[in-house]
């Protein structure tokens, strides 16, 4: 069975600080990896995804993530956060043949102005 | 245009009642899903459904049943509601296949009193 672990449950940063959110997964086959963001009171929106190719993927709003196969990791990064990045961030994994996403527990990011 | 829509947005009801949440997508997707997000923001897949196959997460009580009148709709019916059913329920849709992105609806916040 696949599983996803996000070790940082709560992160508080000041504006302009750099961000890195950890995501580790457990899965025996080829995986597809996703980061979703949930702004307060809103639905989940896709930030970025990795299927194959360049392990460094760029998403919307200046976010990027790096897939490191040897570490089973897909950490999310942003060089300089803004107050508007305050949200819950979810890492998710899906097998190559499957449909169902398995989500991590989420990381709540608060950016202080 | 709303890609994935859900109604109602909020639902407050008494224990023991039966209720339904509706979901519609206009993306032409062939697979739809229901997720439950609990009070700790943990997201868990409940069902995956396309016109060929219903996949049920084994942890979902049989009081929950998805009903799909057509490819664009997947409603969630819940019998004999319990306090622990209080959560936010998200519908999602995608094309079939591991590489496909899931698009989420705005969520339905269910409160069982």
């Amino acid at each position: 069975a696949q599983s996803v672990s996000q070790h940082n449950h709560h992160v508080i940063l000041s504006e302009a600080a750099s961000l890195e959110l950890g995501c580790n997964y457990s899965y025996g086959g080829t995986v597809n990896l996703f980061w979703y963001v949930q702004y307060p009171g809103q639905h989940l929106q896709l930030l970025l995804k990795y299927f194959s190719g360049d392990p460094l993927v760029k998403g919307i709003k200046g976010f990027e993530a790096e897939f490191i196969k040897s570490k089973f990791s897909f950490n999310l990064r942003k060089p300089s956060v803004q107050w508007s990045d305050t949200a819950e961030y979810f890492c998710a994994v899906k097998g190559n043949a499957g449909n169902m996403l398995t989500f991590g527990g989420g990381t709540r990011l608060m950016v202080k102005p | 245009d709303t890609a994935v829509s859900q109604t109602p947005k909020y639902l407050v009801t008494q224990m023991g009642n039966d209720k339904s949440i509706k979901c519609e997508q206009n993306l032409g997707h062939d697979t739809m899903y229901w997720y439950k997000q609990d009070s700790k923001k943990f997201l868990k897949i409940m069902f995956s459904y396309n016109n060929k196959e219903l996949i049920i997460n084994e942890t979902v009580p049989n009081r929950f049943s998805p009903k799909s009148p057509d490819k664009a709709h997947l409603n969630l019916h819940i019998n004999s509601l319990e306090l622990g059913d209080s959560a936010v329920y998200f519908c999602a849709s995608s094309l079939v296949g591991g590489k496909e992105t899931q698009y989420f609806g705005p969520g339905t916040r269910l409160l069982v009193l």
Side-chain angles (χ1 to χ4, degrees):
Chain A
Q2 56 206 38
S3 66
V4 182
S5 177
Q6 292 180 243
H7 304 294
N8 314 105
H9 299 294
H10 293 92
V11 174
I12 301 174
L13 294 172
S14 297
E15 275 195 315
S18 64
L19 170 72
E20 181 159 3
L21 301 182
C23 173
N24 288 91
Y25 67 92
S26 171
Y27 186 72
T30 303
V31 290
N32 302 300
L33 297 155
F34 304 80
W35 275 98
Y36 281 86
V37 60
Q38 186 178 25
Y39 296 105
Q42 296 190 27
H43 63 285
L44 284 94
Q45 302 171 46
L46 182 71
L47 270 181
L48 48 79
K49 59 186 178 184
Y50 171 80
F51 296 146
S52 62
D54 188 345
L56 183 63
V57 291
K58 295 192 183 298
I60 60 171
K61 305 187 181 186
F63 285 92
E64 63 179 33
E66 185 175 12
F67 170 54
I68 303 180
K69 191 175 180 180
S70 60
K71 295 185 178 180
F72 297 91
S73 71
F74 190 56
N75 292 354
L76 181 71
R77 300 195 292 247
K78 185 170 183 178
S80 176
V81 294
Q82 300 171 310
W83 176 78
S84 58
D85 293 324
T86 294
E88 191 96 18
Y89 291 82
F90 293 92
C91 182
V93 63
K94 186 163 51 160
N96 216 26
N99 286 321
M100 292 200 274
L101 280 169
T102 298
F103 283 91
T107 297
R108 183 166 296 182
L109 171 66
M110 180 183 292
V111 180
K112 297 184 293 185
Chain B
D1 286 342
T2 302
V4 183
S5 59
Q6 295 178 228
T7 54
K9 191 171 181 179
Y10 300 97
L11 182 56
V12 181
T13 188
Q14 300 286 334
M15 276 177 57
N17 285 349
D18 302 338
K19 290 294 179 185
S20 291
I21 307 171
K22 296 184 177 181
C23 178
E24 177 181 1
Q25 55 93 6
N26 62 7
L27 296 167
H29 289 162
D30 48 20
T31 306
M32 297 182 72
Y33 314 81
W34 278 105
Y35 289 85
K36 178 180 180 181
Q37 186 177 45
D38 63 24
S39 58
K40 295 183 179 179
K41 297 286 189 177
F42 190 68
L43 264 166
K44 197 165 188 179
I45 182 74
M46 299 177 72
F47 305 101
S48 164
Y49 182 82
N50 63 27
N51 58 6
K52 298 176 185 176
E53 190 177 25
L54 170 65
I55 300 175
I56 303 171
N57 185 320
E58 61 187 13
T59 65
V60 176
N62 57 14
R63 297 181 294 104
F64 290 78
S65 56
K67 298 188 191 305
S68 180
D70 55 58
K71 211 168 78 164
H73 297 83
L74 183 67
N75 303 326
L76 180 65
H77 190 74
I78 316 170
N79 288 328
S80 303
L81 277 156
E82 299 178 358
L83 294 176
D85 298 333
S86 295
V88 182
Y89 292 84
F90 286 100
C91 177
S93 73
S94 75
L95 293 171
V96 69
K99 290 181 170 55
E100 299 300 331
T101 299
Q102 292 183 18
Y103 294 86
F104 285 78
T108 295
R109 190 174 296 271
L110 171 65
L111 178 60
V112 182
L113 302 173

